[in-house]
Amino acid sequence: VQLQASGGGLVQAGGSLRLSCAASGSGFSFNNMGWYRQAPGKQREFVTFISSGGTPKYADSVQGRFSISRDNAKNTVYLQMNTLNAEDTAVYYCYAEAVRSNSQATFRYWGQGTQVTVSS
């Protein structure tokens, strides 16, 4: 299984960015997909995830500003980030919980991380 994240960059406070993360893997399906982030000097923290049925969950810090969606046909998850502030500056990591065909075992895979920098 491989996850390829894209869409990070530099944005001014109050601006928006959209991240994408495409998962691939022969013989696998993907359940929950989501994002964590890690700011300099801090631990990695949960941001959001979305179930295969489209139910999202958000961290309190991003509720109302971030929106997660997915395209199951493309095994791709999107993160629309609005009203960004300096505290959102971090490396954003996508993940996917993959299930192998004919198996109930679930494994979490991570993308390579994409930098989001918000200038104040």
Side-chain angles (χ1 to χ4, degrees):
V1 173
Q2 292 186 328
L3 279 73
Q4 181 66 46
S6 60
L10 174 65
V11 64
Q12 289 187 333
S16 299
L17 278 176
R18 188 186 191 220
L19 306 183
S20 300
C21 178
S24 61
S26 179
F28 285 89
S29 59
F30 300 98
N31 291 342
N32 295 338
M33 299 179 74
W35 300 86
Y36 277 66
R37 67 187 181 185
Q38 187 166 19
K42 295 186 177 181
Q43 291 187 334
R44 189 175 297 191
E45 65 173 3
F46 167 76
V47 177
T48 179
F49 80 84
I50 186 169
S51 70
S52 57
T55 301
K57 181 176 175 61
Y58 300 96
D60 290 344
S61 59
V62 306
Q63 181 76 48
R65 300 187 298 120
F66 290 12
S67 178
I68 190 171
S69 61
R70 65 187 288 169
D71 183 336
N72 288 335
K74 297 181 180 179
N75 292 327
T76 299
V77 62
Y78 306 97
L79 181 61
Q80 178 66 43
M81 305 184 293
N82 299 326
T83 320
L84 287 160
N85 58 59
E87 288 69 41
D88 297 315
T89 295
V91 177
Y92 284 69
Y93 297 91
C94 63
Y95 74 92
E97 294 173 352
V99 181
R100 186 183 291 277
S101 300
N102 300 319
S103 170
Q104 294 184 344
T106 301
F107 300 93
R108 179 173 288 192
Y109 293 87
W110 293 90
Q112 82 280 13
T114 184
Q115 176 70 46
V116 172
T117 303
V118 184
S119 63
S120 56

